[in-house]
């Protein structure tokens, strides 16, 4: 038996009038998912408990079968592991976004124009982060470059007691004034954010971007603090050799810390221009060559939700169905395979951020057919009355022989 999880990040949504009262899942032309829905177990799962923030870190740990209340220590340490940072027990890590802020003279009066600096390239970003490290790095603080706008700060002998650090994708278009809620211990972080604007606004990389009509990465934004915490290896926990496929450091870090093979796919970007076909082929290859389990994480629906890109969110679901699910089904036709399809959390277009509402899930088992639903979407999943209230138990249910 082979097992595949197709994790469509942020795919769940709310009905919209401009989609004739449907959600993007309900609107999308996804023949493969809908075909499976007719013969699969379909229901809702609560991936994020109400006491935790509905981030992709918490939600993906939950879907993978790791109780976040036991294993979660913050988002950034998982990303740091993927980047290759060997965190000490006394280190505190932070996600360091490269963002675009508006140009008001006072930093605290600026607005969050773009949490990802117009999808800045990893090459441009690496140059900017190296510059920030040169100007602000020291024995206490070290900056490390990651992918696109996603980077890392390590605070040697730091503290988690820094006040409130808000994810930048939660405040797109808003004044940042009320989201700079650091306390006295976190003042060093805010001071670095403020100083970064003066360092980056006229950097040659940003001057070239502006000349091309692109958004400048004119500030760092620190959030997602955490300390290192070990995860039980997936193979030890479930008896299966696993692989992780994702474009983003967060999921690569989870894969690394759970002892999975982390597969890098050329052209995987985390957005709708990602290499969908490459991810599918990588999943097929890893299962055919010996791994028992593969976790295919696709960031595109989430990014489209954050950016209020309605049609792109619908399109991203269609591309996942056509270019990832379709080839996997064809490759394993006539073979024993189980497939779990679900989002990690909703990213409603209307909110442009995550919620902890239950999400639809689908479990397909090639060995048997069960009475399913006509379409794989939020409404049909709710109608089944099937509800998994503790998200991290879904994986054990999925892996049942």
């Amino acid at each position: 038996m082979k097992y595949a999880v197709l994790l469509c990040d942020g795919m769940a949504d709310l009905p919209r009038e401009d989609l004739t009262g449907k959600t993007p899942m309900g609107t999308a032309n996804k023949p493969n998912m809908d075909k499976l829905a007719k013969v699969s177990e379909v229901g809702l799962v609560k991936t994020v408990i109400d006491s935790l923030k509905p981030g992709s870190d918490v939600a993906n740990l939950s879907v993978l079968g790791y109780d976040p209340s036991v294993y979660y220590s913050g988002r950034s340490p998982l990303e740091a592991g993927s980047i290759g940072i060997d965190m000490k027990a006394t280190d505190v890590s932070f996600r360091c976004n490269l963002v675009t802020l508006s140009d008001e003279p006072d930093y605290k009066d600026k607005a969050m124009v773009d949490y990802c600096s117009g999808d800045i390239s990893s090459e441009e970003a690496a140059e900017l982060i190296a510059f920030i490290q040169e100007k602000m790095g020291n024995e206490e603080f070290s900056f490390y470059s990651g992918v696109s706008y996603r980077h890392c700060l390590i605070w040697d002998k730091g503290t988690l007691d820094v006040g409130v650090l808000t994810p930048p994708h939660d405040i797109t278009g808003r004044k940042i004034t009320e989201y700079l809620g650091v306390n006295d211990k976190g003042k060093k972080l805010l001071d670095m954010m403020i100083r970064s604007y003066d360092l980056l606004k006229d950097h040659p990389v940003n001057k070239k971007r502006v000349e091309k009509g692109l958004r400048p990465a004119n500030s760092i934004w620190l959030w997602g603090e955490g300390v290192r915490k070990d995860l039980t290896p997936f193979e030890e926990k479930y008896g299966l050799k696993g692989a992780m496929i994702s474009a983003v450091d967060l999921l690569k870090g989870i894969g690394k810390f759970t002892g999975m093979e982390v597969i890098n796919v050329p052209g995987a970007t985390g957005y709708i221009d990602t290499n969908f076909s490459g991810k599918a082929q990588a999943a097929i290859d890893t299962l055919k060559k010996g791994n028992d389990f593969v976790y295919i994480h696709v960031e595109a629906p989430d990014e489209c939700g954050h950016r209020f890109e309605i049609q792109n969110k619908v399109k991203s679901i269609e591309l996942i169905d056509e270019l990832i699910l379709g080839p996997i089904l064809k490759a394993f036709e006539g073979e024993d395979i189980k497939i779990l399809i679900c989002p990690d959390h909703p990213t409603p277009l209307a909110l442009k951020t995550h919620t902890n509402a239950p999400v639809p899930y689908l479990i397909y088992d090639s060995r048997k057919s069960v009475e399913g639903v006509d379409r794989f979407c939020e409404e049909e999943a709710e109608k089944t009355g099937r509800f998994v209230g503790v998200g991290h138990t879904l994986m054990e249910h999925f892996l049942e022989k």
Side-chain angles (χ1 to χ4, degrees):
M1 174 62 70
K2 299 294 185 179
Y3 301 88
V5 175
L6 182 50
L7 195 289
C8 310
D9 201 305
M11 178 168 66
D13 212 301
L14 299 169
R16 299 187 55 83
E17 289 186 10
D18 47 17
L19 295 177
T20 65
K22 298 178 182 177
T23 64
M25 282 186 72
T27 302
N29 177 28
K30 51 186 197 317
N32 293 302
M33 290 188 198
D34 292 339
K35 181 180 178 180
L36 293 190
K38 291 176 173 59
V39 295
S40 300
E41 175 187 325
V42 176
L44 292 175
V45 56
K46 175 82 167 169
T47 56
V48 182
I49 59 176
D50 291 335
S51 61
L52 292 175
K53 294 180 180 178
S56 291
D57 41 16
V58 172
N60 278 278
L61 281 174
S62 182
V63 174
L64 259 175
Y66 292 82
D67 183 352
S69 65
V70 174
Y71 290 98
Y72 181 64
S73 63
R75 177 189 189 108
S76 187
L78 300 169
E79 297 176 327
S82 173
I83 291 173
I85 303 168
D86 188 14
M87 287 180 64
K88 303 188 298 292
T90 55
D91 286 341
V92 177
S93 62
F94 298 81
R95 162 70 85 84
C96 177
N97 272 47
L98 284 173
V99 303
T100 304
L101 299 180
S102 57
D103 59 1
E104 286 78 7
D106 190 326
Y107 190 88
K108 296 178 181 180
D109 291 334
K110 298 180 186 298
M112 181 64 64
V113 176
D114 189 345
Y115 67 89
C116 65
S117 299
D119 279 320
I120 187 168
S121 71
S122 296
E123 293 74 21
E124 291 171 306
E127 187 174 340
L128 294 178
I129 292 297
F131 181 67
I132 289 293
Q133 171 63 16
E134 176 189 338
K135 297 297 183 182
M136 295 200 294
N138 50 44
E139 292 183 357
E140 187 175 13
F141 294 102
S142 298
F143 294 85
Y144 298 85
S145 61
V147 177
S148 184
Y149 61 90
R150 313 170 185 94
H151 310 283
C152 187
L153 167 68
I154 299 294
W155 185 357
D156 182 43
K157 298 181 180 63
T159 177
L160 293 171
D161 181 17
V162 294
V164 180
L165 301 175
T166 302
H169 53 256
D170 284 356
I171 56 173
T172 299
R174 302 181 195 174
K175 289 280 187 182
I176 65 173
T177 312
E178 61 185 281
Y179 302 104
L180 302 173
V182 297
N183 57 25
D184 287 342
K185 295 178 182 177
K187 188 175 182 300
K188 288 182 178 180
L189 303 175
L190 178 57
D191 289 345
M192 285 191 291
M193 288 164 61
I194 293 171
R195 187 181 171 202
S196 75
Y197 182 86
D198 293 327
L199 290 170
L200 292 177
K201 63 183 176 68
D202 293 323
H203 190 280
V205 166
N206 281 324
K207 285 186 174 181
K208 290 179 182 176
R209 288 183 62 80
V210 171
E211 288 172 3
K212 295 176 182 176
L214 302 174
R215 286 172 170 167
N218 57 20
S219 180
I220 63 170
W221 189 272
L222 303 172
W223 62 288
E225 65 277 15
V227 294
R228 178 170 179 168
K229 198 166 186 178
D230 292 330
L231 296 172
T232 303
F234 188 84
E235 186 172 2
E236 178 183 321
K237 190 174 176 65
Y238 294 110
L240 298 171
K241 291 177 61 177
M244 172 67 70
I245 297 172
S246 178
V248 299
D249 284 327
L250 170 62
L251 272 295
K252 291 178 180 179
I254 291 175
K256 178 179 178 180
F257 285 147
T258 54
M260 293 187 185
E261 178 186 1
V262 177
I263 300 173
N264 294 308
V265 176
T269 66
Y271 185 49
I272 196 169
D273 61 353
T274 196
N275 185 0
F276 293 96
S277 297
K279 286 190 172 185
Q281 192 59 53
I284 293 166
D285 290 345
T286 194
L287 291 178
K288 294 282 189 181
K289 293 176 182 177
N291 275 318
D292 310 297
F293 172 96
V294 65
Y295 195 91
I296 312 155
H297 172 263
V298 188
E299 180 82 353
D302 182 64
E303 289 286 345
C304 295
H306 285 307
R307 304 177 196 205
F308 195 64
E309 295 177 355
I310 301 170
Q311 294 306 319
N312 272 350
K313 185 165 187 181
V314 173
K315 183 66 175 177
S316 70
I317 298 169
E318 294 176 342
L319 290 170
I320 292 169
D321 186 85
E322 176 188 0
L323 300 180
I324 298 182
L325 182 56
I328 290 174
L329 290 174
K330 184 176 181 180
F332 289 92
E333 188 174 359
E335 299 182 41
D336 290 344
I337 188 169
K338 291 184 74 173
I339 300 174
L340 167 62
I341 306 173
C342 67
D344 50 350
H345 52 66
T347 307
L349 288 153
L351 303 177
K352 293 192 286 189
T353 190
H354 308 162
T355 74
N356 58 8
V359 297
Y361 76 89
L362 178 158
I363 294 177
Y364 167 71
D365 186 336
S366 64
R367 301 168 301 177
K368 59 186 179 182
S369 174
V370 299
E371 184 177 353
V373 297
D374 288 335
R375 289 179 65 79
F376 182 46
C377 64
E378 300 87 347
E379 182 181 9
E380 292 293 309
E382 185 175 9
K383 284 180 182 178
T384 67
R386 192 176 289 111
F387 179 67
V388 180
V390 181
H392 67 267
T393 66
L394 181 65
M395 180 56 64
E396 188 173 354
H397 172 54
F398 169 58
L399 296 178
E400 289 174 352
K401 302 298 184 184

